[in-house]
Amino acid sequence: MKRGFTLIELLVVIVIIAVLAALLLPVLRGAKTNAQQSACMNNLRQINLGVRMYCDDARDTTPNTKYDASITNAPWIGYKELMKHYVGLHGASSPRDKIFSCPADTFYYDWGRGLVPASHHDQALFDCSSYTFNGMNLFTLPTNVIAASGPL
């Protein structure tokens, strides 16, 4: 007479597998987060080296990201066009320019559609970056206001 597994034995095995999976999933999620963080830091390091090379070529001045409709669609991301050459990218921007896309950038908010579960960087309508360059001022103070404020 052949004997198979009883229902109780199968349920015990399934519960053991479920417990092991429950213990393993947070570890895997943490590993994924660490990998994304490492990739993001590497992207920022490469962009930083590009900014440094730009400064070396431009006599120690930082990139000028003033708004110019012929170059970019917004001043806070205008540095991307300036940096592409310095990070080894040539030609028109594309979703393959992964150095400008953080792996954790997985959604954006659209005023008409709400939360969109896709990276802004990967959209065909945008020439965006997950990172912005905080080396510019949208509004400059007149020199008499700066002089009146005293030494910096």
Side-chain angles (χ1 to χ4, degrees), residues 53-66:
M53 288 190 299
Y54 178 93
C55 293
D56 288 343
D57 288 349
R59 295 180 306 226
D60 289 334
T61 58
T62 57
N64 182 0
T65 57
K66 292 183 180 173

Side-chain angles (χ1 to χ4, degrees), residues 16-146:
I16 290 172
I17 291 172
V19 168
L20 290 174
L23 292 173
L24 189 61
L25 285 178
V27 173
L28 293 176
R29 188 174 299 121
K32 180 181 177 183
T33 301
N34 287 342
Q36 287 178 334
Q37 186 177 22
S38 294
C40 188
M41 292 299 291
N42 186 47
N43 290 348
L44 290 171
R45 184 176 296 114
Q46 294 300 317
I47 292 170
N48 185 42
L49 290 172
V51 170
R52 184 66 240 167
M53 288 190 299
Y54 178 93
C55 293
D56 288 343
D57 288 349
R59 295 180 306 226
D60 289 334
T61 58
T62 57
N64 182 0
T65 57
K66 292 183 180 173
Y67 177 71
D68 182 356
S70 66
I71 296 175
T72 184
N73 58 357
W76 49 89
I77 61 168
Y79 83 97
K80 181 180 176 184
E81 280 300 316
L82 294 172
M83 288 300 104
K84 283 180 66 175
H85 170 71
Y86 290 97
V87 296
L89 299 173
H90 305 286
S93 292
S94 73
R96 293 186 314 268
D97 299 346
K98 292 295 183 185
I99 191 170
F100 293 104
S101 178
C102 180
D105 184 10
T106 58
F107 67 91
Y108 71 95
Y109 186 80
D110 182 280
W111 293 103
R113 298 184 292 169
L115 192 65
V116 178
S119 171
H120 220 165
H121 173 76
D122 292 332
Q123 304 305 306
L125 299 174
F126 303 108
D127 182 18
C128 287
S129 173
S130 298
Y131 315 108
T132 59
F133 181 66
N134 192 15
M136 52 87 161
N137 292 318
L138 292 177
F139 306 103
T140 56
L141 294 173
T143 53
N144 60 345
V145 173
I146 294 172

